[in-house]
Amino acid sequence: MFNYLKLDPEQCEFIPVAGISDLPAGERLFLEIDGQPIVIFNLAGDYYAIADLCSHDNGPVGEGELEGFEIICPRHGARFDIRDGRVLALPAVEDIPAYPVRLNDGMIEIGLPLND
Ligand code: FES
């Protein structure tokens, strides 16, 4: 699956999705962009965004328990790295999308590939 983090930021369109104050440290924010469910994490002031859709069976992976940078899918226990969407444990075998996140003018912005 394509990892948006590999995109040149110059080729991304950054979309404001929430105010920085809407996502305190240790919290998660669930949203949908163009029909794609996304979850954003604030880990002690560092922000990460992945698709909220497990590559094993479309489970709501964003609701899973977090161990460091590893999220554990609540459905069957697959693990992913929230920094880049990389799959770390079965039963999933495919990565999930990860998105660049930046803070700009008090807002959290998610980078999506520019449509050409
Ligand atoms: S749906 Fe996530 S491990 Fe099965």
Side-chain angles (χ1 to χ4, degrees):
M1 189 169 284
F2 188 75
N3 186 339
Y4 295 119
L5 286 180
K6 292 180 182 156
L7 274 181
D8 180 345
E10 297 288 314
Q11 297 176 327
C12 285
E13 176 187 12
F14 281 86
I15 299 172
V17 292
I20 293 173
S21 57
D22 295 330
L23 183 56
E27 300 289 324
R28 308 170 187 192
L29 196 63
F30 295 85
L31 54 121
E32 203 170 294
I33 300 176
D34 291 338
Q36 169 74 58
I38 293 174
V39 55
I40 310 172
F41 302 85
N42 177 346
L43 296 190
D46 291 324
Y47 296 80
Y48 305 95
I50 57 171
D52 184 20
L53 209 55
C54 182
S55 60
H56 173 239
D57 194 26
N58 297 331
V61 65
E63 294 171 11
E65 191 182 325
L66 203 53
E67 287 182 359
F69 295 109
E70 285 187 28
I71 188 128
I72 306 166
C73 181
R75 292 271 300 275
H76 313 104
R79 289 171 178 250
F80 301 89
D81 190 319
I82 65 166
R83 294 171 294 185
D84 57 8
R86 194 162 43 96
V87 64
L88 300 171
L90 295 170
V93 293
E94 282 184 36
D95 298 344
I96 57 176
Y99 304 88
V101 183
R102 76 179 186 190
L103 306 181
N104 186 30
D105 203 17
M107 299 294 291
I108 301 168
E109 298 182 340
I110 300 278
L112 297 175
L114 278 171
N115 294 324
D116 44 10

